[in-house]
């Protein structure tokens, strides 16, 4: 398949006439049952018509994703949620007022119109109203309901830039809309509102603290805070192996005075054994590392930079031929909860505590 590419000037707030025409063409592809990758404020999505079961089947095939892993339906006006959910609890309205459009997905009982192919056979549906202007226009032009998982091959980190979408999806889908790099870099927070108590199934930019403040106390899926609890995560996608780079990733937790010598020691040892070592470090201490490849994940003074760079750093290590990668650890509060959730998954939960 020949994959077309539509370039949008960075920012995407005010589109040129060509860009506008390109988006109309992308929407025609989606209406016709085809697939288009598009930018959102979190990560790039791989979009198809959410109400067309054939489109959902194509999404699973393009990603190489198991079809029991449900898709998120993206909307571009709050009212549009009414058509795809069976019930709209007061809490959902409150959350939408506070955080939509934005990086938060709600799980609600699904209406009949939503095909089971889209929800991976579940009786609930995930709904998100993204804030990215290009995403909003594409959804509006496509008829209002786009099913979109992250636009990566199953198992790889979610794409934070169109170049990674091209890497994974070129030749597999009809079109890629290139709007450069995304703003947040981690997938949306998922909040389950279909059971008795609101519960976070995947941490994201909208944090547990922010939701607690709005709703009183919200629960968090036990598998996020106790990964070795032995329980199955409630978001089916969270059970799959994810994000893992080709080298063996190990997180090292502790004070910098211990972490840095520990990592340098292992890098030296690996070098003697003829192996290459990678390091994921923060800007403040980066020059203290001595290893084959040292990559900066961002600054401890600005956690958002860490969230934004995490997936691209993991992807870039795949080209470096390193056999092990050591990463600094981050406090798991606020946005750090989402950062550590993704990092731990990428590391297969290997963590050394010093
Ligand atoms: O930020 C995002 O959410 C991005 C952008 C493109 O919007 N999308 C995204 O989709 O991350 P995906 O498919 O990669 O992740 C969706 C997650 C999966 O873990 C899936 O299992 C879970 O949401 N999910 C979807 N529907 C669900 C449902 N009805 N019940 C429980 N979990 C659900
Ligand atoms: Mg994904």
């Amino acid at each position: 398949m020949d994959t077309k590419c539509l370039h949008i000037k960075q920012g995407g707030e005010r589109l040129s006439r060509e860009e506008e025409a390109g988006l109309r063409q992308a929407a025609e592809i989606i209406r016709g049952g085809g697939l288009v990758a598009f930018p959102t404020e979190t990560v790039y999505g791989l979009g198809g018509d959410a109400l067309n079961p054939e489109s959902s089947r194509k999404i699973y095939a393009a990603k190489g994703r198991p079809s029991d892993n449900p898709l998120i339906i993206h909307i571009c006006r709050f009212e549009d949620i009414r058509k795809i959910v069976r019930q709209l609890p007061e809490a959902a309205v409150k959350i939408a007022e506070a955080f939509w459009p934005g990086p938060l997905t709600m799980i609600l009982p699904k209406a009949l119109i939503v095909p089971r192919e889209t929800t991976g056979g579940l009786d609930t549906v995930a709904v998100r109203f993204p804030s990215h202007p290009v995403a909003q226009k594409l959804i509006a032009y496509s008829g209002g309901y786009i099913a979109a998982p992250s636009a990566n091959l199953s198992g790889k980190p979610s794409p934070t830039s169109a170049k990674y979408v091209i890497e994974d999806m070129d030749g597999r889908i009809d079109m890629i809309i290139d709007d450069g790099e995304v703003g947040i870099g981690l997938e949306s927070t998922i909040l389950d509102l279909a059971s008795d108590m609101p519960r976070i199934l995947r941490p994201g930019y909208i944090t547990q603290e922010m939701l607690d403040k709005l709703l009183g106390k919200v629960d968090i899926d036990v598998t996020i805070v106790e990964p070795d609890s032995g329980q199955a995560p409630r978001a089916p996608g969270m059970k799959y192996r994810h994000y893992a780079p080709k080298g063996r990733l190990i997180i090292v937790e502790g004070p910098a005075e211990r972490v840095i010598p520990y990592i340098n020691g292992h890098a030296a040892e690996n070098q003697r054994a003829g192996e290459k070592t990678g390091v994921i470090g923060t800007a403040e201490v980066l020059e203290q590392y001595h290893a084959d490849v040292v990559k900066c994940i961002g600054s401890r003074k600005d956690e958002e930079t860490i969230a934004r760079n995490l997936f691209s750093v993991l992807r870039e290590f795949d080209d470096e031929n390193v056999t092990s990668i050591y990463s600094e650890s981050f406090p798991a509060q606020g946005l750090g909860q989402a950062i550590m959730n993704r990092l731990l998954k990428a590391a297969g939960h290997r963590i050394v505590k010093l």
Side-chain angles (χ1 to χ4, degrees), residues 1-5 151 153 163-174 176:
M1 181 187 292
D2 182 33
T3 304
K4 290 189 204 69
C5 196
L153 286 172
K163 70 177 185 224
Y164 301 129
V165 182
I166 295 168
E167 213 171 88
D168 282 11
M169 292 297 157
D170 192 27
R172 302 175 76 92
I173 61 175
D174 299 284
I176 294 170

Side-chain angles (χ1 to χ4, degrees), residues 324-335:
S324 31
I325 305 165
Y326 291 89
S327 173
E328 292 179 22
S329 185
F330 303 96
Q333 283 106 43
L335 184 55

Side-chain angles (χ1 to χ4, degrees), residues 8-169:
I8 305 279
K9 245 179 58 200
Q10 187 79 28
E13 278 288 350
R14 293 166 64 212
L15 300 181
S16 69
R17 205 182 303 169
E18 293 76 40
E19 290 168 344
E20 208 34 71
L23 275 192
R24 296 268 179 200
Q25 197 194 351
E28 277 317 303
I29 293 172
I30 288 181
R31 284 174 183 273
L35 303 185
V36 176
F38 63 99
T40 82
E41 70 278 22
T42 56
V43 298
Y44 275 76
L46 173 55
D49 180 354
L51 305 182
N52 178 350
E54 192 47 44
S55 299
S56 296
R57 277 189 216 109
K58 282 191 196 165
I59 291 176
Y60 291 115
K63 274 184 70 88
R65 173 172 178 156
S67 59
D68 68 344
N69 187 358
L71 309 174
I72 296 175
I73 301 190
H74 295 66
I75 58 175
C76 61
R77 296 183 308 192
F78 174 70
E79 313 83 82
D80 291 345
I81 194 176
R82 296 183 192 279
K83 184 165 141 184
I84 52 173
V85 303
R86 208 163 58 234
Q87 287 151 25
L88 193 60
E90 201 42 51
V93 178
K94 215 166 151 182
I95 289 161
E97 275 168 4
F99 302 116
W100 274 5
L104 178 122
T105 297
M106 292 192 242
I107 309 286
L108 290 161
K110 86 171 191 70
L112 271 178
I113 192 172
V114 180
R116 292 214 172 248
E117 283 78 358
T118 302
T119 64
L122 295 179
D123 193 35
T124 51
V125 61
V127 192
R128 170 157 127 74
F129 177 178
S131 62
H132 197 293
V134 172
Q136 288 182 357
K137 280 205 168 175
L138 180 69
I139 298 163
Y141 296 167
S142 304
Y145 300 94
I146 293 187
S150 48
N152 51 284
L153 286 172
S154 189
K156 288 240 225 163
S158 300
T160 50
S161 158
K163 70 177 185 224
Y164 301 129
V165 182
I166 295 168
E167 213 171 88
D168 282 11
M169 292 297 157

Side-chain angles (χ1 to χ4, degrees), residues 281-284 295-302 305-306 309 313:
T282 45
E284 288 77 10
K295 290 190 192 280
C296 182
I297 193 174
S299 163
R300 283 198 187 261
K301 294 195 196 100
D302 181 2
T305 58
I306 297 170
N309 293 328
V313 165

